[in-house]
PDB file of all heavy atoms in Angstrom:
ATOM      1  N   ASP A1303      17.031 -19.148  17.975  1.00 95.00           N
ATOM      2  CA  ASP A1303      15.864 -18.261  18.064  1.00 95.00           C
ATOM      3  C   ASP A1303      14.591 -19.155  18.159  1.00 95.00           C
ATOM      4  O   ASP A1303      14.210 -19.814  17.196  1.00 95.00           O
ATOM      5  CB  ASP A1303      15.731 -17.355  16.883  1.00 95.00           C
ATOM      6  CG  ASP A1303      14.626 -16.366  16.885  1.00 95.00           C
ATOM      7  OD1 ASP A1303      13.836 -16.486  17.920  1.00 95.00           O
ATOM      8  OD2 ASP A1303      14.487 -15.487  16.036  1.00 95.00           O
ATOM      9  N   LEU A1304      14.066 -19.165  19.385  1.00 93.00           N
ATOM     10  CA  LEU A1304      12.785 -19.985  19.614  1.00 93.00           C
ATOM     11  C   LEU A1304      11.587 -19.064  20.063  1.00 93.00           C
ATOM     12  O   LEU A1304      10.662 -19.447  20.606  1.00 93.00           O
ATOM     13  CB  LEU A1304      12.982 -20.996  20.703  1.00 93.00           C
ATOM     14  CG  LEU A1304      14.045 -22.095  20.410  1.00 93.00           C
ATOM     15  CD1 LEU A1304      14.285 -22.941  21.596  1.00 93.00           C
ATOM     16  CD2 LEU A1304      13.622 -22.910  19.239  1.00 93.00           C
ATOM     17  N   GLY A1305      11.735 -17.777  19.645  1.00 94.00           N
ATOM     18  CA  GLY A1305      10.746 -16.807  20.149  1.00 94.00           C
ATOM     19  C   GLY A1305       9.415 -16.881  19.396  1.00 94.00           C
ATOM     20  O   GLY A1305       9.273 -17.507  18.360  1.00 94.00           O
ATOM     21  N   TYR A1306       8.369 -16.370  20.045  1.00 95.00           N
ATOM     22  CA  TYR A1306       7.064 -16.242  19.488  1.00 95.00           C
ATOM     23  C   TYR A1306       6.518 -17.662  19.041  1.00 95.00           C
ATOM     24  O   TYR A1306       5.901 -17.815  17.955  1.00 95.00           O
ATOM     25  CB  TYR A1306       6.976 -15.267  18.297  1.00 95.00           C
ATOM     26  CG  TYR A1306       7.369 -13.877  18.715  1.00 95.00           C
ATOM     27  CD1 TYR A1306       8.718 -13.419  18.580  1.00 95.00           C
ATOM     28  CD2 TYR A1306       6.501 -13.099  19.321  1.00 95.00           C
ATOM     29  CE1 TYR A1306       9.106 -12.209  19.126  1.00 95.00           C
ATOM     30  CE2 TYR A1306       6.837 -11.837  19.878  1.00 95.00           C
ATOM     31  CZ  TYR A1306       8.125 -11.408  19.763  1.00 95.00           C
ATOM     32  OH  TYR A1306       8.506 -10.126  20.194  1.00 95.00           O
ATOM     33  N   ASN A1307       6.658 -18.622  19.980  1.00 93.00           N
ATOM     34  CA  ASN A1307       6.010 -19.955  19.808  1.00 93.00           C
ATOM     35  C   ASN A1307       4.991 -19.988  20.985  1.00 93.00           C
ATOM     36  O   ASN A1307       4.535 -18.990  21.438  1.00 93.00           O
ATOM     37  CB  ASN A1307       7.015 -20.983  19.824  1.00 93.00           C
ATOM     38  CG  ASN A1307       7.734 -21.104  18.484  1.00 93.00           C
ATOM     39  OD1 ASN A1307       7.171 -21.619  17.545  1.00 93.00           O
ATOM     40  ND2 ASN A1307       9.035 -20.712  18.436  1.00 93.00           N
ATOM     41  N   HIS A1308       4.645 -21.284  21.394  1.00 91.00           N
ATOM     42  CA  HIS A1308       3.672 -21.434  22.399  1.00 91.00           C
ATOM     43  C   HIS A1308       4.201 -22.151  23.656  1.00 91.00           C
ATOM     44  O   HIS A1308       3.641 -23.071  24.185  1.00 91.00           O
ATOM     45  CB  HIS A1308       2.443 -22.193  21.879  1.00 91.00           C
ATOM     46  CG  HIS A1308       1.833 -21.558  20.713  1.00 91.00           C
ATOM     47  ND1 HIS A1308       1.145 -20.445  20.718  1.00 91.00           N
ATOM     48  CD2 HIS A1308       1.829 -21.892  19.343  1.00 91.00           C
ATOM     49  CE1 HIS A1308       0.736 -20.035  19.530  1.00 91.00           C
ATOM     50  NE2 HIS A1308       1.102 -20.983  18.670  1.00 91.00           N
ATOM     51  N   PHE A1309       5.394 -21.623  24.070  1.00 85.00           N
ATOM     52  CA  PHE A1309       6.056 -22.246  25.256  1.00 85.00           C
ATOM     53  C   PHE A1309       5.497 -21.570  26.500  1.00 85.00           C
ATOM     54  O   PHE A1309       5.334 -20.355  26.586  1.00 85.00           O
ATOM     55  CB  PHE A1309       7.550 -22.047  25.185  1.00 85.00           C
ATOM     56  CG  PHE A1309       8.220 -22.558  23.922  1.00 85.00           C
ATOM     57  CD1 PHE A1309       9.183 -21.845  23.232  1.00 85.00           C
ATOM     58  CD2 PHE A1309       7.834 -23.837  23.492  1.00 85.00           C
ATOM     59  CE1 PHE A1309       9.740 -22.377  22.061  1.00 85.00           C
ATOM     60  CE2 PHE A1309       8.418 -24.336  22.277  1.00 85.00           C
ATOM     61  CZ  PHE A1309       9.329 -23.649  21.609  1.00 85.00           C
ATOM     62  N   LYS A1310       5.384 -22.351  27.614  1.00 80.00           N
ATOM     63  CA  LYS A1310       4.840 -21.878  28.820  1.00 80.00           C
ATOM     64  C   LYS A1310       5.317 -22.729  29.963  1.00 80.00           C
ATOM     65  O   LYS A1310       5.770 -23.893  29.731  1.00 80.00           O
ATOM     66  CB  LYS A1310       3.363 -21.763  28.820  1.00 80.00           C
ATOM     67  CG  LYS A1310       2.627 -23.000  28.532  1.00 80.00           C
ATOM     68  CD  LYS A1310       1.156 -22.803  28.368  1.00 80.00           C
ATOM     69  CE  LYS A1310       0.396 -24.104  28.021  1.00 80.00           C
ATOM     70  NZ  LYS A1310      -1.077 -23.916  27.878  1.00 80.00           N
ATOM     71  N   GLY A1311       5.222 -22.257  31.189  1.00 72.00           N
ATOM     72  CA  GLY A1311       5.502 -23.192  32.315  1.00 72.00           C
ATOM     73  C   GLY A1311       6.997 -23.168  32.694  1.00 72.00           C
ATOM     74  O   GLY A1311       7.685 -22.131  32.515  1.00 72.00           O
ATOM     75  N   GLN A1312       7.429 -24.349  33.093  1.00 68.00           N
ATOM     76  CA  GLN A1312       8.833 -24.508  33.555  1.00 68.00           C
ATOM     77  C   GLN A1312       9.855 -24.391  32.415  1.00 68.00           C
ATOM     78  O   GLN A1312       9.566 -24.888  31.275  1.00 68.00           O
ATOM     79  CB  GLN A1312       8.977 -25.842  34.225  1.00 68.00           C
ATOM     80  CG  GLN A1312      10.229 -26.076  35.000  1.00 68.00           C
ATOM     81  CD  GLN A1312      10.362 -25.082  36.096  1.00 68.00           C
ATOM     82  OE1 GLN A1312       9.338 -24.792  36.797  1.00 68.00           O
ATOM     83  NE2 GLN A1312      11.544 -24.650  36.451  1.00 68.00           N
ATOM     84  N   PHE A1313      10.915 -23.666  32.710  1.00 66.00           N
ATOM     85  CA  PHE A1313      11.963 -23.412  31.727  1.00 66.00           C
ATOM     86  C   PHE A1313      12.771 -24.728  31.455  1.00 66.00           C
ATOM     87  O   PHE A1313      13.186 -25.319  32.493  1.00 66.00           O
ATOM     88  CB  PHE A1313      12.783 -22.321  32.176  1.00 66.00           C
ATOM     89  CG  PHE A1313      13.765 -21.789  31.108  1.00 66.00           C
ATOM     90  CD1 PHE A1313      13.374 -20.846  30.211  1.00 66.00           C
ATOM     91  CD2 PHE A1313      14.997 -22.241  31.065  1.00 66.00           C
ATOM     92  CE1 PHE A1313      14.195 -20.370  29.258  1.00 66.00           C
ATOM     93  CE2 PHE A1313      15.959 -21.720  30.123  1.00 66.00           C
ATOM     94  CZ  PHE A1313      15.471 -20.759  29.202  1.00 66.00           C
TER      95      PHE A1313
END
Side-chain angles (χ1 to χ4, degrees):
D1303 184 352
L1304 297 174
Y1306 298 97
N1307 283 288
H1308 303 293
F1309 304 137
K1310 57 186 178 181
Q1312 192 64 32
F1313 192 84

